[in-house]
């Protein structure tokens, strides 16, 4: 058996949704497309004709054609477990446009050229609401986690800022201390300078007096 050359939409599973499943007929549709260059005859079957009704169950598809298949879950039936039943699609390649699909299948000997199964899921309204609630709760948790992360980042950023401020203050304090030391040294130098000034002045005055006294002595000697 070769690859399944026809295309199904949905491609994997058939799903029935609603609170009326089992009490009223509930239908879903599957689009069957022939995107190949071969003319094909198809056939659709299910695991239980009592539970499901398929329309149309058989047909022909020319290249580029498609067919919508309606699969109905009958009323008055107990809803089975999801994944227990399936809808099967079969096809054979044909080359005569005048024959009906049933004739092709009645004349065909051997296995179909391709087969694919779509398993059936059942979801009641309550299940759907629970699923939505669960998803909503998970989304809420994700948002809460994001908010917590933002708060932590904000807190960490504030602490870093505080540390930086402390470092700046410490640095400024150290620079201020050095500045004060320099100022103290300058003040000390000024004081020493002031204290030294009168002594120097006295020395200069003594020298001046001594000098003047020597000159007077010389004058007196000349007179004599």
């Amino acid at each position: 058996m070769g690859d399944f050359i026809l295309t199904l939409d949905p491609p994997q599973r058939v799903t029935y949704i609603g609170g009326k499943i089992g009490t009223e007929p509930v239908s879903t549709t599957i689009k069957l497309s022939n995107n190949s260059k071969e003319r094909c005859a198809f056939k659709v079957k299910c695991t239980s004709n009592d539970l499901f009704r398929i329309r149309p169950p058989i047909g022909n598809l020319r290249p580029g054609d498609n067919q919508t298949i309606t699969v109905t879950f009958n009323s008055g039936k107990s809803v089975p477990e999801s994944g227990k039943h399936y809808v099967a699609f079969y096809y054979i390649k044909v080359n005569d446009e005048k024959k009906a699909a049933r004739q092709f299948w009645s004349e065909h000997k051997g296995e179909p050229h391709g087969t694919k199964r779509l398993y059936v899921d059942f979801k009641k309204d309550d299940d759907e609401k629970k699923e939505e609630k669960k998803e909503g709760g998970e989304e809420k948790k994700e948002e809460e986690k994001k908010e917590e992360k933002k708060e932590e980042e904000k807190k960490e950023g504030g602490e870093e800022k505080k540390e930086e401020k402390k470092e700046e203050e410490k640095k400024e304090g150290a620079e201020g201390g050095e500045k004060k030391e320099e100022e103290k040294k300058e003040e000390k130098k000024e004081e020493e300078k002031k204290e030294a000034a009168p002594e120097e002045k006295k020395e200069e005055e003594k020298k001046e007096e001594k000098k003047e006294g020597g000159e007077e002595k010389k004058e007196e000697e000349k007179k004599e």
Side-chain angles (χ1 to χ4, degrees):
M1 192 182 295
D3 294 333
F4 192 80
I5 64 173
L6 303 182
T7 304
L8 295 171
D9 185 17
Q12 300 297 334
R13 302 181 82 85
V14 178
T15 305
Y16 291 97
I17 301 174
K20 296 179 180 179
I21 300 173
T23 58
E24 295 181 11
V26 180
S27 298
T28 188
T29 58
I30 303 160
K31 186 178 179 181
L32 180 66
S33 303
N34 182 9
N35 297 321
S36 73
K37 296 179 180 179
E38 304 282 349
R39 181 181 172 86
C40 298
F42 69 85
K43 183 164 54 177
V44 187
K45 290 187 176 183
C46 60
T47 48
S48 173
N49 291 328
D50 185 47
L51 294 177
F52 301 96
R53 185 175 71 252
I54 298 168
R55 295 289 183 272
I58 197 167
N60 287 325
L61 283 175
R62 290 177 296 180
D65 281 355
N66 62 73
Q67 175 70 56
T68 298
I69 312 296
T70 302
V71 184
T72 303
F73 183 74
N74 297 322
S75 61
K77 306 297 178 183
S78 298
V79 180
E81 294 178 10
S82 292
K84 185 177 180 180
H85 293 277
Y86 61 82
V87 180
F89 294 81
Y90 308 89
Y91 75 86
I92 53 174
K93 296 175 184 178
V94 298
N95 53 17
D96 191 343
E97 294 189 8
K98 294 178 181 179
K99 291 182 181 180
R102 289 188 185 278
Q103 190 174 352
F104 284 125
W105 282 105
S106 63
E107 293 175 357
H108 180 73
K109 305 299 180 184
E111 295 290 324
H113 296 151
T115 304
K116 188 167 184 178
R117 295 175 179 178
L118 298 186
Y119 282 86
V120 182
D121 291 332
F122 297 91
K123 288 186 179 181
K124 290 188 176 182
D125 287 340
D126 291 341
D127 295 335
E128 193 176 5
K129 284 176 183 176
K130 283 178 184 177
E131 193 68 27
E132 287 175 358
K133 194 174 180 182
K134 186 180 177 183
E135 288 175 1
E138 287 174 356
E139 286 175 4
K140 195 174 180 182
K141 283 180 181 178
E142 285 296 322
E143 287 177 4
E144 287 174 356
K145 282 181 182 178
K146 285 179 183 177
E147 288 296 324
E148 285 175 4
K149 193 175 180 182
K150 282 181 183 178
E151 287 296 323
E152 285 177 6
E153 287 175 355
K154 193 175 178 182
K155 190 178 177 183
E156 287 173 3
E159 288 175 357
E160 286 176 5
K161 200 170 180 181
K162 283 180 183 178
E163 287 297 323
E164 287 176 4
K165 194 174 179 182
K166 282 181 181 178
E167 287 294 325
E168 286 293 326
E169 289 174 354
K170 194 174 178 182
K171 190 176 178 182
E172 286 174 4
E175 288 176 355
E178 289 176 3
K179 194 173 180 181
K180 284 180 181 178
E181 287 294 324
E182 290 291 328
E183 288 174 356
K184 282 181 181 179
K185 286 179 182 178
E186 289 294 326
E187 287 174 2
K188 194 174 180 182
K189 283 181 182 178
E190 288 293 326
E191 287 175 2
E192 288 175 353
K193 195 173 179 181
K194 283 177 183 178
E195 288 174 0
E199 293 295 327
E200 290 175 358
K201 194 173 180 182
K202 284 179 183 179
E203 287 293 326
E204 286 177 1
E205 286 176 355
K206 282 180 182 180
K207 285 180 181 179
E208 192 69 29
E209 287 173 0
K210 193 175 180 181
K211 186 178 178 183
E212 287 176 359
E215 288 176 355
E216 286 175 1
K217 193 176 180 181
K218 284 180 182 178
E219 288 293 325
E220 288 178 359
E221 287 176 352
K222 282 180 180 179
K223 284 178 183 181
E224 288 177 1

